[in-house]
């Protein structure tokens, strides 16, 4: 496009991209042609290495070696072996992270693990603004055991809800809608002073900012690998538990993969004393192989560079939209230090505008009730992407192309 008003923005982007220490990382991904993908906060792009990794696993380990691959290719160890690769990204040590199942299931396990550390307490504190599945899983916990109670923080201060009855506090590190960062150190310290255990949900922060679980003495955490970690659709999620808790904590999904001697095939369950106790049953090996390709990309990168670029991309987006599309109301913190790697705006016609953007190749998403959300991956998004996305947004709003009938019908997945 050639809107002369954007000449300066494009020139500035060129300089920023040329000086970006992560500028070559995008080449490790298959990026959709002709698109500006600003939805890595929902599903990260595909690492090129994932295709070969899954293909080789299918051809060699599955088709040829079949059952022997559980030993030969170490399939049985992947949840903890890959957990050890993920651990440094969240400030955890080897042996404290296990990858398996989904975030929703892992939240269920983590809540019971937290309750098992505080058997004399009965309150679970959570935020009303939480990603809904987190709250739904708390409901599931309440339905599974009598005598528990959920306290929901609405608009006040989460700290006010934590008292001597509080066993577990379940918090999103980065809010999925606004992108606001919650202070892990401050809240963990306060909750521990009150005798409670915090579970941090890292879905929207893992892979885009430094996370210091052990430095902050965190007890429990969960997160997914298909967002900023680029693990692939439905790639398995993770549980973190601090070493000091590994022998004592319990979780109720006592499947054979969490057994101390699974191949003894004993009648009674005897939980493993390592992080493996969070496992339940057989894991999706093909998804593990795809996910490993995503994790491997981080091994040569600096998380400080990643965070710096994330802040630069979101700041540029906010500044340009304020200049060119002032009718959009910023819902995310203006201060980059308080913001994750996504930016949200309220607009009365959010849904059709997002559809019009998608037709023009700018992929963001819509969240109820009137929110447009854009995620920025420091690994493959560029400053040029940001400038072009704003230019297209400006064009759609000025020409009101979002009014077209085809943009009004809501699809099943938004
Ligand atoms: C994405 C996300 C989830 C996803 O849960 P799944 O079980 O993987 O579908 C859960 N919690 C938060 C905070 C999320 O952002």
């Amino acid at each position: 496009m050639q809107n002369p008003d954007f000449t300066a923005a494009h020139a500035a982007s060129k300089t920023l991209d040329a000086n970006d220490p992560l500028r070559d990382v995008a080449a490790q991904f298959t990026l959709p042609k002709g698109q500006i993908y600003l939805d890595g906060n929902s599903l990260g792009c595909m690492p090129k290495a994932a295709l070969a990794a899954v293909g080789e696993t299918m051809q060699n380990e599955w088709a040829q070696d079949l059952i022997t691959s559980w030993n030969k290719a170490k399939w049985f160890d992947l949840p903890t072996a890959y957990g050890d690769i993920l651990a440094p990204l969240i400030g955890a040590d080897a042996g404290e992270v296990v990858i398996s199942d989904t975030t929703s299931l892992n939240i269920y396990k983590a809540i019971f693990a937290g309750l098992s550390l505080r058997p004399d307490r009965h309150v679970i504190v959570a935020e009303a603004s939480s990603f809904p599945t987190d709250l739904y899983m708390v409901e599931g916990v309440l339905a599974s055991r009598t005598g528990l109670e959920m306290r929901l923080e609405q608009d006040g201060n989460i700290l006010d809800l934590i008292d001597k009855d509080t066993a577990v506090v379940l918090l999103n590190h980065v809010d999925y809608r606004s992108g606001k960062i919650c202070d892990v150190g401050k809240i963990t310290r306060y909750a521990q002073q009150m005798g409670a255990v915090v579970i941090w949900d890292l879905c929207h922060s893992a892979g885009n900012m430094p996370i210091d679980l052990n430095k902050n003495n965190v007890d429990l955490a969960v997160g997914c690998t298909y967002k900023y970690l680029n693990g692939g659709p439905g790639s398995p999620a993770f549980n973190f538990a601090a070493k000091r808790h590994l022998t004592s904590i319990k979780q109720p999904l006592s499947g054979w993969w969490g057994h101390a001697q699974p191949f003894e095939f004993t009648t009674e369950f005897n939980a493993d004393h390592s992080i493996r106790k969070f496992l339940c049953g057989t894991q999706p090996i093909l998804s593990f192989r795809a996910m490993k390709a995503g994790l491997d990309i981080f091994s040569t990168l600096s998380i400080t560079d990643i965070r710096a670029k994330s802040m630069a991309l979101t700041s540029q987006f906010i500044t340009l939209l304020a200049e060119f599309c002032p009718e959009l109301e910023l819902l995310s913190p203006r201060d980059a230090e308080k913001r994750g790697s996504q930016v949200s705006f309220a607009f009365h016609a959010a849904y059709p505008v997002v559809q019009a953007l998608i037709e023009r190749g700018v992929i963001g998403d819509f969240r109820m009730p009137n929110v447009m959300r854009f995620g920025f991956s420091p690994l493959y998004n560029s400053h040029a992407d940001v400038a072009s996305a704003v230019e297209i947004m400006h064009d759609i709003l000025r020409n009101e192309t979002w009014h077209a009938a085809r943009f009004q019908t809501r699809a099943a997945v938004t």
Side-chain angles (χ1 to χ4, degrees), residues 145-362:
R145 184 193 284 184
T146 52
L148 296 175
E149 179 194 320
M150 169 159 66
R151 249 180 234 161
L152 266 191
E153 183 260 336
Q154 299 287 348
D155 294 308
N157 184 347
I158 192 88
L159 302 184
D160 295 341
L161 297 190
I162 305 173
D163 62 18
K164 62 177 183 13
D165 294 325
T166 309
V168 170
V169 184
L170 175 63
L171 293 174
N172 293 183
H173 182 201
V174 171
D175 185 276
Y176 81 103
R177 235 182 320 222
S178 69
K180 185 166 177 270
I181 300 175
C182 215
D183 188 332
V184 171
K186 183 177 143 201
I187 295 178
T188 301
R189 262 192 310 281
Y190 182 81
Q192 287 174 347
Q193 277 164 20
M194 302 298 286
V197 172
V198 185
I199 301 168
W200 287 101
D201 184 331
L202 308 176
C203 279
H204 278 94
S205 54
N208 68 44
M209 65 177 71
I211 302 171
D212 295 318
L213 293 184
N214 280 335
K215 248 186 227 153
N216 288 304
N217 199 36
V218 168
D219 297 295
L220 296 165
V222 297
C224 71
T225 63
Y226 54 75
K227 291 171 181 165
Y228 294 94
L229 295 171
N230 310 302
S235 62
F238 61 89
N239 276 100
F240 159 88
K243 263 191 268 14
R244 61 185 176 279
H245 295 317
L246 287 178
T247 46
S248 53
I249 47 174
K250 294 190 171 72
Q251 65 88 8
L253 303 181
S254 45
W256 70 307
W257 275 49
H259 195 289
Q261 301 93 16
F263 291 97
E264 297 298 322
F265 293 102
T266 58
T267 313
E268 280 185 1
F269 182 73
N270 173 24
D272 197 278
H273 284 314
S274 78
I275 192 74
R276 280 193 77 93
K277 66 166 47 170
F278 280 92
L279 291 172
C280 182
T282 305
Q283 291 302 305
I285 298 301
L286 298 180
S287 288
F288 268 76
R289 293 298 197 208
M291 178 193 62
K292 166 80 160 27
L295 293 179
D296 282 344
I297 292 177
F298 287 89
S299 65
T300 58
L301 307 179
S302 141
I303 196 73
T304 313
D305 286 347
I306 290 173
R307 175 63 176 151
K309 183 173 174 190
S310 158
M311 292 198 289
L313 290 170
T314 54
S315 298
Q316 182 196 15
F317 191 60
I318 290 171
T319 306
L320 286 177
L321 279 177
E323 181 181 351
F324 290 102
C325 308
E327 62 269 60
L328 302 181
E329 180 201 341
L330 181 65
L331 295 177
S332 302
R334 205 168 284 281
D335 176 357
E337 297 285 345
K338 300 197 166 112
R339 194 169 65 224
S341 208
Q342 67 187 68
V343 182
S344 303
F345 294 89
F347 187 61
H348 63 89
Y351 186 79
V353 169
V354 167
Q355 298 314 303
L357 284 166
I358 291 172
E359 191 180 85
R360 298 278 298 273
V362 179

Side-chain angles (χ1 to χ4, degrees), residues 40-56:
N41 53 321
S42 273
L43 176 63
C45 287
M46 188 183 83
K48 287 177 181 162
L51 199 60
V54 173
E56 280 164 26

Side-chain angles (χ1 to χ4, degrees), residues 103 135 285:
T103 307
L135 302 180
I285 298 301

